[in-house]
Amino acid sequence: MERVLVAAAVRDVIPRSAKLMPFSSIVQSLFTTSQEWILLEIDTYLCYVAGLLILLLLLITKTSAAKFESTEGRLANYLLDGYNPQFRPYNKEYENKTFVDVMMTLSQIISVKEKSQEFTTSVYMQYDWLDDRFGWYPDDYDGITTVRIPCSSIWVPRIVLQNSIDGNFDVSLRTNALIQHDGKVSWLPPALYKSTCTIEVALFPFDWQNCTMVFRSATYDRTEMEFGIPIDTVYIDLSAFQSNGEWDILQRPVKINSNENDKTYQDITFYFIIRRKPQFYIINLIIPCILMSSLSCFVFYLPSISCEKMTLSISILLGETVFLFLIAQRMPETSLAVPLIAGYLLFVMILVIISVICSVVVCNVHYRSNTTHSMPDWIVWIFMEKLAPLLKVERPSEEESGACSARPRRCSSVSTRKAMKQRSEWKPPSEILFDHQASRLGFRARHYLNEYGMTGINIAAPENGSFVPPSFKKLPKGFQPAADSIDYIANQKKEENEMGQSQDDWGYVALILDRLLLWVYLATFTLGTLFFFLQTKFAYYPEKLN
């Protein structure tokens, strides 16, 4: 074959129009022909000489290559001589089926994207099958038992990822195949797969996921090629495996699936049951959310007069809205379930909105007075007599508070104020003024307050009046304007006193209502927080297998 090629090359070098002439004719022609013709004949002989040199060089190269060819190269040429990679190997042991063992070695779980429901892994696939067309005696080839041949030169199974999400169904790099002397072929290509993974968000961020990778032959069905699994789990080489910072692998089983109704269907599924490591979300999401939500409890501890109740509640509501927005950006857009942390945020936002409404009601109660509202008896009985001792918000007595002695009208009880009001209905203002000033002027008072807070008549005084000098019984005309002015001032002071006492009573009711809402809100917030996060303790989690 090589000689024919060399001869053809020589023919291409030598001009086709050249004719070989005897040497004597050339000498004779030196004296009979022109100089151009002589040069043409010389060029023709030089072409013949060049062709012979090329032929000699090719023969020497071929001999050297045959002499220095490696044994592995000779074996590869022997195996591929007449081999057709378009046809699969037939094995009579498996009813002319091609039996392929499939195994996966996991290198790394790169990421699990909840938003796009994408599961990215770096793996090494291993395919083993038997090809009867390969086989040799190791003694004939210097004891070689394994040879490496490019996979493009032999038949390899076309097994693709069926649930790929990015359209890349095949392996990443088509490496060489290892062929043993008994015909067993092993192919270990690396791959970077992106598969679909349905994310269950009900327990986020304390959730676990079941991500699968389904492989199937793209060329043959079950009647022509059948799968096998040497081991029933995904293999992990601890020396080369790189763990993921967010997910922990619990189980990794492998299963071959078939359909009884369809005899041609078969696939092999690799399961990755993984559990999320919640430390990142606990520190960066859950704890800040709980701390911010707990501030809403102190809304009812703020005094109503500060007018900062609604401001604090709305600020907390805005902060929780930001947290809810961040969670919505990460979770898939699904209506099948609500994430645990999102449900907790909604619960706290409802509580904060209720606290705003309650704060408005408390402020309305605090700023009431007797000019707009009269206090019913049931409010006095429920709040002042029942809830105040229970919630430990009783008013200080006059002896305990120094301010009460300076301002006795603001520290009297409700029953005392009722008695004074009844007394003021039948007692003239001048008598009230005289009773207050009698002791200072050295006179005996007409009236006094008994132990029940009611007005009594001083029995030491005559029935028609007290011991008053005659000059005080009838005022001169010049003092009448002064007496009218004193009477007017006394009425104004009485009204101010009654208004102040009414405002104090409504403020006291608002304080009791604040303390009651504080304990109710705190209990609801605590129980709701425990209810949401204790669900993770009673939820089902797969056991971790080594």
Side-chain angles (χ1 to χ4, degrees):
M1 184 68 179
E2 289 79 3
R3 294 177 182 177
V4 175
L5 294 175
V6 171
V10 173
R11 285 197 301 269
D12 293 337
V13 174
I14 300 175
R16 297 180 180 178
S17 60
K19 296 181 180 180
L20 187 61
M21 295 179 62
F23 184 75
S24 60
S25 300
I26 295 175
V27 175
Q28 186 179 359
S29 64
L30 291 175
F31 302 97
T32 59
T33 59
S34 61
Q35 188 177 1
E36 290 80 3
W37 186 87
I38 293 172
L39 294 175
L40 180 60
E41 293 295 332
I42 293 174
D43 290 340
T44 302
Y45 275 96
L46 291 176
C47 290
Y48 275 107
V49 174
L52 292 175
L53 291 176
I54 292 173
L55 178 60
L56 181 60
L57 182 61
L58 290 176
L59 292 175
I60 294 173
T61 305
K62 180 64 178 178
T63 304
S64 300
K67 181 177 180 181
F68 295 103
E69 184 179 13
S70 63
T71 305
E72 188 174 356
R74 289 190 300 108
L75 178 58
N77 293 332
Y78 167 75
L79 296 177
L80 297 178
D81 188 14
Y83 184 87
N84 192 346
Q86 300 298 325
F87 301 99
R88 65 181 179 88
Y90 292 86
N91 297 326
K92 296 181 180 180
E93 299 179 1
Y94 305 110
E95 300 177 356
N96 290 329
K97 296 180 181 179
T98 303
F99 193 83
V100 180
D101 286 332
V102 182
M103 191 174 71
M104 176 186 291
T105 301
L106 180 64
S107 297
Q108 182 186 6
I109 295 179
I110 297 177
S111 64
V112 179
K113 297 181 180 179
E114 294 87 354
K115 189 71 175 178
S116 59
Q117 303 192 45
E118 178 181 315
F119 180 60
T120 306
T121 54
S122 176
V123 299
Y124 279 90
M125 301 300 299
Q126 181 174 346
Y127 305 107
D128 298 328
W129 68 94
L130 185 64
D131 196 336
D132 294 335
R133 293 173 290 181
F134 295 135
W136 69 92
Y137 294 102
D139 296 337
D140 296 341
Y141 295 93
D142 298 337
I144 296 178
T145 58
T146 304
V147 65
R148 293 166 177 81
I149 296 179
C151 63
S152 58
S153 301
I154 64 173
W155 180 90
V156 293
R158 184 73 185 281
I159 300 176
V160 297
L161 179 64
Q162 189 172 355
N163 60 335
S164 175
I165 199 173
D166 62 345
N168 185 15
F169 301 93
D170 211 343
V171 297
S172 302
L173 180 63
R174 302 182 69 84
T175 58
N176 293 339
L178 279 71
I179 303 176
Q180 299 182 8
H181 68 282
D182 56 355
K184 183 179 180 182
V185 184
S186 297
W187 186 39
L188 291 86
L192 183 65
Y193 288 123
K194 294 183 179 180
S195 58
T196 58
C197 180
T198 303
I199 303 297
E200 299 290 340
V201 298
L203 295 176
F204 175 85
F206 303 95
D207 56 332
W208 62 275
Q209 307 297 333
N210 183 9
C211 297
T212 60
M213 299 174 66
V214 182
F215 289 87
R216 189 180 179 187
S217 175
T219 309
Y220 305 102
D221 56 21
R222 187 181 180 184
T223 60
E224 298 172 312
M225 187 175 69
E226 193 167 354
F227 294 135
I229 48 175
I231 56 177
D232 59 351
T233 183
V234 177
Y235 179 73
I236 293 180
D237 186 3
L238 298 179
S239 61
F241 177 74
Q242 185 175 357
S243 60
N244 188 275
E246 186 178 358
W247 297 93
D248 189 15
I249 301 176
L250 300 180
Q251 300 178 16
R252 49 186 192 278
V254 183
K255 183 180 179 182
I256 296 178
N257 302 313
S258 58
N259 190 353
E260 295 181 356
N261 299 325
D262 187 4
K263 300 298 183 180
T264 62
Y265 179 83
Q266 188 183 38
D267 66 53
I268 181 168
T269 305
F270 296 88
Y271 298 89
F272 293 90
I273 301 176
I274 54 179
R275 182 175 181 178
R276 192 189 303 271
K277 301 176 182 178
Q279 287 83 357
F280 174 82
Y281 297 95
I282 290 175
I283 296 175
N284 295 279
L285 188 62
I286 294 178
I287 292 180
C289 178
I290 294 177
L291 292 178
M292 180 178 293
S293 303
S294 62
L295 292 177
S296 60
C297 300
F298 295 94
V299 170
F300 302 103
Y301 203 74
L302 280 175
S304 300
I305 198 171
S306 63
C307 299
E308 295 294 335
K309 289 178 174 290
M310 280 72 74
T311 304
L312 178 59
S313 299
I314 293 174
S315 300
I316 296 172
L317 187 64
L318 291 176
E320 292 171 351
T321 305
V322 173
F323 278 105
L324 187 61
F325 176 76
L326 294 176
I327 295 174
Q329 290 294 318
R330 188 176 182 85
M331 291 294 98
E333 298 173 354
T334 177
S335 300
L336 299 178
V338 178
L340 180 65
I341 185 65
Y344 176 72
L345 283 175
L346 290 176
F347 164 74
V348 175
M349 289 175 68
I350 293 174
L351 285 183
V352 173
I353 293 174
I354 294 176
S355 70
V356 173
I357 298 174
C358 294
S359 299
V360 172
V361 174
V362 170
C363 289
N364 180 272
V365 172
H366 178 80
Y367 287 101
R368 288 184 179 184
S369 63
N370 61 349
T371 58
T372 57
H373 299 82
S374 60
M375 183 176 294
D377 295 336
W378 63 270
I379 293 181
V380 176
W381 182 78
I382 293 177
F383 287 91
M384 295 185 181
E385 297 181 9
K386 298 298 181 181
L387 293 179
L390 182 63
L391 299 175
K392 304 298 182 182
V393 287
E394 295 180 342
R395 282 177 170 176
S397 60
E398 296 184 2
E399 292 79 6
E400 295 176 353
S401 177
C404 294
S405 60
R407 300 170 61 185
R409 59 184 174 87
R410 304 295 289 271
C411 298
S412 56
S413 62
V414 176
S415 59
T416 304
R417 291 199 301 274
K418 285 184 178 180
M420 292 177 64
K421 185 176 182 180
Q422 293 175 359
R423 186 184 65 182
S424 63
E425 291 177 356
W426 59 269
K427 186 178 180 182
S430 59
E431 293 186 8
I432 298 175
L433 179 63
F434 183 83
D435 287 342
H436 281 289
Q437 302 295 331
S439 60
R440 186 173 65 85
L441 298 175
F443 301 107
R444 183 182 294 124
R446 296 194 192 105
H447 305 87
Y448 70 98
L449 294 177
N450 58 18
E451 58 182 354
Y452 300 103
M454 304 300 293
T455 303
I457 301 175
N458 195 342
I459 59 176
E463 295 182 358
N464 296 329
S466 302
F467 294 98
V468 182
S471 58
F472 277 80
K473 293 182 180 180
K474 185 177 180 180
L475 293 175
K477 295 183 179 180
F479 290 94
Q480 189 65 36
D484 294 338
S485 299
I486 292 173
D487 185 55
Y488 174 77
I489 294 173
N491 291 331
Q492 291 295 322
K493 290 295 182 179
K494 184 182 70 173
E495 292 178 0
E496 291 179 3
N497 185 26
E498 292 178 355
M499 182 176 294
Q501 291 174 354
S502 176
Q503 291 178 352
D504 288 345
D505 290 339
W506 283 114
Y508 184 50
V509 172
L511 177 62
I512 298 173
L513 186 60
D514 254 342
R515 188 62 55 87
L516 175 64
L517 292 174
L518 172 64
W519 289 110
V520 172
Y521 188 92
L522 184 61
T524 306
F525 173 76
T526 305
L527 293 177
T529 302
L530 293 177
F531 170 77
F532 274 96
F533 291 105
L534 284 180
Q535 294 183 26
T536 60
K537 298 299 181 181
F538 301 100
Y540 169 74
Y541 290 97
E543 296 181 359
K544 184 175 182 180
L545 300 179
N546 296 327

